[in-house]
Amino acid sequence: LEIKTDKLFEMIPNSIGYIYNEKCNIKYPIMYSKQPDYYLTHDYKDDACKTGSIFMDYRNTWDDNMIIIYGHNMKDNSMFGDLIKAEVDDTVVIYKNDTKYEYIVSDIIIRDDTDLIYSLENPYKYKCVVLSTCYEENKRYTVVLKQNY
């Protein structure tokens, strides 16, 4: 899969990238807003909707040491509904600025929703991307990605 993010940015102005993993049925633009919860309840067209969008934490930029990307755990397996299928060493592709980046799943953890990573404190010794979705009440299912150089 090759994505031209410049075309994506033209079509979807608030998108900052695209995330792809066939196994987990993830094929979505990554949205961004300075409003913390905006894309929890809005689609990529900025229409209000219950499914929301896949989106980067409002406090993050691509240059950060740890980036959190959120998505709803949908019962129809859309968004991050199939994230539970991810396994250590799986590959996730993220396109940003017309460049393809491959990441390797390095860790899978069920966390409390008050875990320190949500204050953007990186407990890892490497730059990472954390995919986060609801799991159970007050719990989050997280998949930690390490860039594959």
Side-chain angles (χ1 to χ4, degrees):
L1 178 72
E2 294 297 323
I3 299 293
K4 293 290 185 191
T5 53
D6 60 336
K7 300 288 186 207
L8 180 69
F9 297 151
E10 285 176 26
M11 294 172 15
I12 308 171
N14 287 336
S15 67
I16 56 168
Y18 189 87
I19 186 167
Y20 174 80
N21 176 275
E22 185 74 32
K23 181 179 188 177
C24 296
N25 195 31
I26 299 172
K27 303 169 192 167
Y28 296 101
I30 301 168
M31 305 305 293
Y32 182 80
S33 173
K34 283 290 186 186
Q35 297 174 36
D37 298 332
Y38 182 79
Y39 283 108
L40 276 175
T41 58
H42 288 80
D43 66 15
Y44 70 92
K45 298 176 186 173
D46 288 327
D47 293 330
C49 72
K50 292 180 182 177
T51 59
S53 297
I54 303 298
F55 64 99
M56 181 189 285
D57 191 292
Y58 74 101
R59 300 166 294 174
N60 277 138
T61 70
W62 284 125
D63 295 326
D64 290 340
N65 192 34
M66 186 180 75
I67 297 163
I68 302 177
I69 298 176
Y70 301 95
H72 284 302
N73 184 355
M74 302 300 294
K75 290 180 180 171
D76 69 358
N77 299 330
S78 63
M79 300 295 166
F80 282 171
D82 272 345
L83 194 58
I84 198 162
K85 291 180 179 179
E87 298 177 287
V88 171
D89 293 329
D90 282 355
T91 300
V92 176
V93 174
I94 296 177
Y95 290 87
K96 49 189 174 182
N97 303 324
D98 255 350
T99 303
K100 177 180 177 179
Y101 296 88
E102 289 191 2
Y103 291 84
I104 301 298
V105 174
S106 62
D107 210 355
I108 299 170
I109 301 174
I110 297 170
R111 304 175 190 269
D112 291 330
D113 59 6
T114 57
D115 192 286
L116 281 178
I117 68 152
Y118 295 108
S119 63
L120 298 182
E121 291 187 33
N122 186 350
Y124 299 96
K125 297 187 185 319
Y126 51 85
K127 185 175 180 173
C128 63
V129 175
V130 177
L131 308 181
S132 178
T133 192
C134 295
Y135 186 67
E136 295 171 352
E137 189 171 340
N138 301 320
K139 300 285 184 190
R140 301 290 179 261
Y141 191 85
T142 61
V143 174
V144 180
L145 308 176
K146 179 180 181 180
Q147 192 166 348
N148 187 17
Y149 293 99

